[in-house]
Amino acid sequence: MPHILVTNDDGIQAPGLRALVEALRELATLTVVAPASERSAAAQSLTLRQPVYYEEIAEREYAVEGTPADAVILALHKLLPDKPDLVISGINRGGNIGENVYYSGTVGAAKEAAIHGVPAVAISLAYRRPECDFAPAAQFMKSLASVILREGLPAGVPLNVNVPQDWSGEVRFTRQSRKITRNVLQPGADGNGRPYFLLSEQQLTEGIEPDTDYAAIRAAAVSITPLELDVTHTQSLNHLSHWAAILKRNSLEP
Ligand code: MN
């Protein structure tokens, strides 16, 4: 039986992770290693210079007092007996599309696994409501996992999957949108008069490019974006490299 590591950024008790575990149970042996509490928007950050506590809270389930990337590192280096066949991060409550891919702890965990050479998927429900139904996304992830276990993934290419609220049944392979939100900064001041801003965001409704994750979600399709870990912009590398001669330190000058 294949072995799947399940993690997330909403915390080990989050309903999205539980729905995923339920759906994947018959497909694979599962180990859950996930943050003990919610660490959304942790991206791929690590906990350094302080201990990362962990606890076995059930059979093959470990709660980690750290970030999603910490959890994956503990799992792959210490907690799992062997390298898993697949790492699945989610199901996140709230979409991870456009620039949110940069901030997402759900995606951060999948990227960490991909860096370690393990096929990885981040999966998110592209809406957040009190009555989130994770079951359709969990069933979708089960079908996708069996395809990946059979066919594999390109090395170092994690998939970022988003499932819309009322899925039409359509699946689109997409690219990441450019910034899809407007930053909203609400000014305020505390009791001592210290000024602050409260940050939130507003989703844009115009300028959505048709082949993107955001367009797929708005069309009620599941969006799958293959991500690249190497963020080098090769075109600019070629275009800018002649600057090296200008910037080179001249050994004759002081
Ligand atoms: Mn989250």
Side-chain angles (χ1 to χ4, degrees):
M1 214 177 188
H3 181 201
I4 298 178
L5 168 65
V6 175
T7 189
N8 74 350
D9 78 354
D10 290 342
I12 196 159
Q13 301 300 355
L17 182 144
R18 293 296 145 193
L20 188 58
V21 165
E22 214 43 62
L24 296 174
R25 211 180 278 289
E26 57 204 62
L27 189 70
T29 303
L30 304 177
T31 306
V32 179
V33 184
S37 55
E38 185 177 345
R39 300 300 295 265
S40 289
Q44 206 177 337
S45 63
L46 297 181
T47 304
L48 301 176
R49 294 177 297 279
Q50 54 177 304
V52 178
Y53 293 98
Y54 66 98
E55 189 186 349
E56 189 169 4
I57 59 164
E59 202 191 343
R60 310 188 75 91
E61 288 199 14
Y62 299 85
V64 174
E65 288 182 34
T67 65
D70 290 336
V72 169
I73 290 172
L74 261 66
L76 297 183
H77 289 273
K78 294 291 180 189
L79 301 177
L80 268 52
D82 302 297
K83 216 177 211 192
D85 299 292
L86 177 62
V87 174
I88 304 176
S89 177
I91 301 166
N92 189 59
R93 186 169 160 274
N96 280 308
I97 55 182
E99 81 275 19
N100 287 315
V101 171
Y102 303 126
Y103 316 128
S104 166
T106 309
V107 174
K111 285 165 73 183
E112 190 60 48
I115 284 177
H116 281 80
V118 183
V121 180
I123 180 162
S124 309
L125 207 56
Y127 67 98
R128 54 177 87 230
R129 297 214 168 140
E131 75 284 12
C132 267
D133 181 10
F134 290 100
Q139 281 310 313
F140 178 78
M141 189 58 243
K142 188 183 166 192
S143 343
L144 176 59
S146 47
V147 175
I148 294 171
L149 290 171
R150 195 171 62 236
E151 305 207 357
L153 274 178
V157 179
L159 299 183
N160 181 32
V161 178
N162 284 272
V163 178
Q165 184 170 1
D166 296 305
W167 182 33
S168 69
E170 189 193 350
V171 177
R172 292 189 192 175
F173 279 78
T174 58
R175 57 189 184 83
Q176 184 186 352
S177 306
R178 280 193 266 269
K179 189 168 166 66
I180 61 155
T181 62
R182 181 178 295 116
N183 294 102
V184 178
L185 290 86
Q186 193 193 335
D190 70 9
N192 298 319
R194 280 182 73 197
Y196 64 75
F197 288 109
L198 201 61
L199 269 67
S200 60
E201 52 184 34
Q202 211 173 41
Q203 280 200 335
L204 305 174
T205 53
E206 286 163 14
I208 301 158
E209 298 156 294
D211 53 347
T212 58
D213 47 12
Y214 195 26
I217 292 303
R218 286 175 66 97
V222 163
S223 165
I224 304 181
T225 309
L227 302 179
E228 187 152 34
L229 296 179
D230 178 355
V231 294
T232 311
H233 193 251
T234 307
Q235 218 181 324
S236 297
L237 184 66
N238 297 336
H239 176 65
L240 298 175
S241 56
H242 72 278
W243 286 8
I246 305 168
L247 298 167
K248 193 174 93 180
R249 186 160 61 97
N250 188 334
S251 56
L252 297 178
E253 286 172 7

